[in-house]
Amino acid sequence: MSAATMGATGGPVLDVRGLKKHFPVRKGVLGRVAGQVYAVDGISLTIKPAETLGLVGASGCGKSTAGRSIAKLVDPTAGEVLLEGERIDHLSRAAIRPYRRRIQFVFQDPYSSLNPRLNAGQIVAEPLINFGVAGGAVRERVAVIFGKVGLKPEQMQRFPHEFSGGQRQRIGIARALALNPALIICDEPVSALDVSVQAQVINLLMDLQAEFRLSYLFIAHDLAVVEHIAHRVAVMYLGRIVELADKRDLFRQPLHPYTEALLSAVPVATPGARTKRIVLQGDVPSPINPPSGCHFHTRCPYAEARCRVEPPSLREVAPGRQVACHLR
């Protein structure tokens, strides 16, 4: 099915099926492979046009690796990635180049992701030049994009060190926006910013989505931020998605024990309101040697014998609601 047909029929912008990314662990002088890091261990998800899917979980759960594998910044070990109906996971660097226009990335650190030797205008113009846009059209396009992200045309001559953190992230968003993408993967885009600036950047992303019908994969560990921007939320634990649901359903009634624990740590805005904090026992297992059965059973207060030997599949338990738990 072509991209045009997918758009006309309302098909997903992104369709990920059984995605895996394993990194070899090498030891010794000869660098023999002694094991694998199971960073992403078989995740599946879809993102519709103009939808934001929040991908959340603790540090080290594999969510950033998942985003980079989807965008082919690293090559997946297994699985399929379809962008607007076209499979891209198996493509070579040369073959995937045309698809780079449709999938872009906003990185966590707004300073290290910008070339300090280029001014802001050159940074935003770079992807346009790489794809053969003529000089006059480049300047015009960059000026328009600067206005869209809340920057002034005269700031195009400044270098990254002359901007604040929030302004640098606006430049990163402008660069991602330059080629009219269908999907932008936002990898912790506000975690390095002050709280007040975070709100400004989140509101900017939402305004751009409404204007250009952008789809976002929004990777974060801050559930309060995800609750504000996402339409649906996928929760990751040790390389696997354990729950996927509409934002309102997930925050109102989490089904997976890990999701319950994550949400119990989110601050409540109501003064005087009491919440029961769920403190998980033990450390997160190593992704080099994950537990058998359900990866969460070593820390789950409800684990049964079945959980220790049989991996739960991510299954639909209600319309639009998926959970990987034997107890649900």
Coordinates of all heavy atoms in Angstrom, one line a residue, residues 231-233 244-251 320-321:
H231 N -1.6 11.5 23.6 CA -3.0 11.0 23.4 C -3.1 9.5 23.9 O -4.1 9.2 24.6 CB -3.4 10.9 21.9 CG -3.4 12.3 21.3 ND1 -2.4 12.8 20.5 CD2 -4.3 13.3 21.3 CE1 -2.7 14.0 20.1 NE2 -3.8 14.4 20.6
R232 N -2.1 8.7 23.6 CA -2.0 7.4 24.2 C -0.6 7.2 24.8 O 0.4 8.0 24.5 CB -2.2 6.3 23.1 CG -3.6 6.3 22.6 CD -3.7 5.1 21.6 NE -2.8 5.2 20.4 CZ -2.0 4.3 20.0 NH1 -2.0 3.1 20.6 NH2 -1.3 4.5 18.9
V233 N -0.5 6.2 25.7 CA 0.8 6.0 26.5 C 1.2 4.6 26.4 O 0.3 3.7 26.7 CB 0.7 6.5 27.9 CG1 2.0 6.3 28.7 CG2 0.3 8.0 28.0
L244 N -0.3 -0.4 27.3 CA -0.6 0.6 26.2 C -2.0 0.9 26.3 O -2.9 0.0 26.1 CB -0.1 0.0 24.9 CG 0.1 1.1 23.8 CD1 1.0 0.5 22.7 CD2 -1.2 1.6 23.1
A245 N -2.3 2.2 26.4 CA -3.7 2.6 26.6 C -3.9 4.1 26.3 O -2.9 4.8 26.2 CB -4.2 2.3 28.0
D246 N -5.1 4.5 26.1 CA -5.5 5.9 26.0 C -5.0 6.6 27.3 O -5.1 6.0 28.4 CB -7.0 6.0 25.9 CG -7.4 7.5 25.8 OD1 -7.4 8.1 24.7 OD2 -7.8 8.1 26.9
K247 N -4.5 7.8 27.2 CA -4.0 8.5 28.3 C -4.9 8.6 29.5 O -4.6 8.3 30.7 CB -3.6 9.9 27.9 CG -3.2 10.9 29.0 CD -2.9 12.2 28.5 CE -4.1 12.9 28.0 NZ -3.9 14.3 27.5
R248 N -6.2 8.9 29.2 CA -7.1 9.1 30.3 C -7.4 7.8 31.1 O -7.5 7.7 32.3 CB -8.4 9.7 29.8 CG -8.3 11.1 29.3 CD -9.5 11.5 28.5 NE -9.5 10.8 27.2 CZ -10.4 11.0 26.2 NH1 -11.3 11.9 26.4 NH2 -10.3 10.3 25.1
D249 N -7.5 6.7 30.3 CA -7.7 5.4 30.9 C -6.5 4.9 31.8 O -6.7 4.4 32.9 CB -8.0 4.3 29.9 CG -9.3 4.6 29.1 OD1 -10.2 5.2 29.7 OD2 -9.4 4.1 28.0
L250 N -5.3 5.2 31.2 CA -4.1 4.7 31.9 C -3.9 5.5 33.2 O -3.6 4.9 34.2 CB -2.9 4.8 31.0 CG -1.6 4.3 31.6 CD1 -0.9 3.4 30.5 CD2 -0.7 5.4 32.0
F251 N -4.1 6.8 33.2 CA -3.9 7.6 34.4 C -5.0 7.4 35.4 O -4.8 7.5 36.6 CB -3.7 9.1 34.0 CG -2.3 9.4 33.6 CD1 -1.9 9.2 32.3 CD2 -1.4 10.0 34.5 CE1 -0.7 9.5 31.8 CE2 -0.1 10.3 34.1 CZ 0.3 10.1 32.7
G320 N -8.9 -0.7 22.7 CA -7.8 0.3 22.8 C -6.9 0.1 24.0 O -6.0 0.9 24.3
R321 N -7.1 -0.9 24.8 CA -6.3 -1.2 26.0 C -5.6 -2.5 26.0 O -6.2 -3.5 25.8 CB -7.3 -1.3 27.2 CG -7.3 -0.4 28.1 CD -7.4 0.2 29.3 NE -6.3 0.5 30.0 CZ -6.3 0.9 31.3 NH1 -7.4 0.9 31.9 NH2 -5.2 1.2 31.9

